[in-house]
Amino acid sequence: EPEVTQTPSHQVTQMGQEVILRCVPISNHLYFYWYRQILGQKVEFLVSFYNNEISEKSEIFDDQFSVERPDGSNFTLKIRSTKLEDSAMYFCASSEALGNEQFFGPGTRLTVL
Amino acid sequence: SQQGEEDPQALSIQEGENATMNCSYKTSINNLQWYRQNSGRGLVHLILIRSNEREKHSGRLRVTLDTSKKSSSLLITASRAADTASYFCATNQAGTALIFGKGTTLSVSS
């Protein structure tokens, strides 16, 4: 069964460093998403992406965040200058169409020291 | 705004019993989706119910939606130890985002 994959599973970085989290959405899906879950808290929407542009973003998704689909399969989230409070599990998701099921990857645990 | 909120926060049952979790939300929705999360792991999609649907089944899962009460329930029948996990409802409003609740932690003991 097709699934969303994410790499790395765990990333440790120093405050102020840039990180890139990578995702491979399900191949025939058109909508891509990033969410995050701070330990013990709710899953929070960050951004959605369709047709090579951002469809929607939350107030969390500020100028330090960016997303890109560099080729036909990868979808990345870049955090330019990490802060301690960026430590969280970051989930990528994809859906076939707007309003359809969103399937999530296993997540990347980001630890900022 | 607090959109999807599950209750109870925690539920402990014996294997073979049924588990019911509820979700309430505040604004109109396009659809509502239920997810399962094992400790520290990814989110597994369970079921999607659209605003014009009232009930859906998938295996041992039964989901209902009452748009007049802005609530949904997830019933797991004949629970197993492997059902132990956190369960989340997530609502989709007008756009693309899913808004998640805090979840119900289900513990099934054998």
Side-chain angles (χ1 to χ4, degrees), chain A residues 31 33 35 37 41-45 47-48 55-56 89 91 98-107 109, chain B residues 1-5 31 33 35 37 40-43 45 48 50 88 92 95-102:
Chain A
Y31 285 81
Y33 313 84
Y35 291 80
Q37 185 180 31
Q41 296 188 24
K42 293 184 185 185
V43 176
E44 301 173 290
F45 170 77
V47 67
S48 61
S55 292
E56 188 178 353
M89 183 76 95
F91 293 108
L98 183 64
N100 279 24
E101 295 86 347
Q102 293 187 22
F103 293 97
F104 282 68
R109 183 169 297 284
Chain B
S1 65
Q2 294 184 340
Q3 178 66 332
E5 294 298 330
N31 65 64
Q33 305 187 38
Y35 289 85
Q37 184 179 39
R41 308 283 290 278
L43 293 156
H45 189 273
L48 178 152
R50 300 193 185 279
F88 298 90
N92 173 237
T96 56
L98 286 179
I99 309 299
F100 281 79
K102 290 183 180 177

Side-chain angles (χ1 to χ4, degrees), chain A residues 38-102:
Chain A
I38 294 170
L39 189 63
Q41 296 188 24
K42 293 184 185 185
V43 176
E44 301 173 290
F45 170 77
L46 294 178
V47 67
S48 61
F49 193 84
Y50 170 72
N51 201 26
N52 282 318
E53 60 184 29
I54 291 174
S55 292
E56 188 178 353
K57 60 182 181 179
S58 71
E59 57 190 27
I60 301 169
F61 193 87
D62 60 23
D63 291 345
Q64 70 160 344
F65 291 95
S66 62
V67 289
E68 193 179 28
R69 187 152 164 85
D71 54 44
S73 58
N74 290 284
F75 179 52
T76 61
L77 175 69
K78 182 192 289 187
I79 309 175
R80 260 180 272 283
S81 177
T82 50
K83 304 171 191 165
L84 295 176
E85 54 265 36
D86 293 328
S87 294
M89 183 76 95
Y90 287 80
F91 293 108
C92 174
S94 69
S95 66
E96 197 169 358
L98 183 64
N100 279 24
E101 295 86 347
Q102 293 187 22

Side-chain angles (χ1 to χ4, degrees), chain B residues 9-58:
Chain B
Q9 287 188 325
L11 182 60
S12 293
I13 58 174
Q14 298 286 320
E15 252 188 339
E17 293 180 336
N18 295 342
T20 300
M21 288 158 268
N22 303 296
C23 170
S24 60
Y25 57 92
K26 294 193 186 320
T27 64
S28 62
I29 60 171
N30 287 329
N31 65 64
L32 186 148
Q33 305 187 38
W34 283 92
Y35 289 85
R36 183 184 76 229
Q37 184 179 39
N38 291 81
S39 180
R41 308 283 290 278
L43 293 156
V44 175
H45 189 273
L46 296 177
I47 203 161
L48 178 152
I49 188 164
R50 300 193 185 279
S51 60
N52 60 352
E53 297 174 309
R54 292 297 166 257
E55 188 171 312
K56 282 188 87 168
H57 297 255
S58 176

Side-chain angles (χ1 to χ4, degrees), chain A residues 18-31:
Chain A
E18 174 183 287
V19 294
I20 297 176
L21 310 183
R22 302 179 194 279
C23 168
V24 179
I26 295 172
S27 63
N28 64 332
H29 284 189
L30 300 178
Y31 285 81

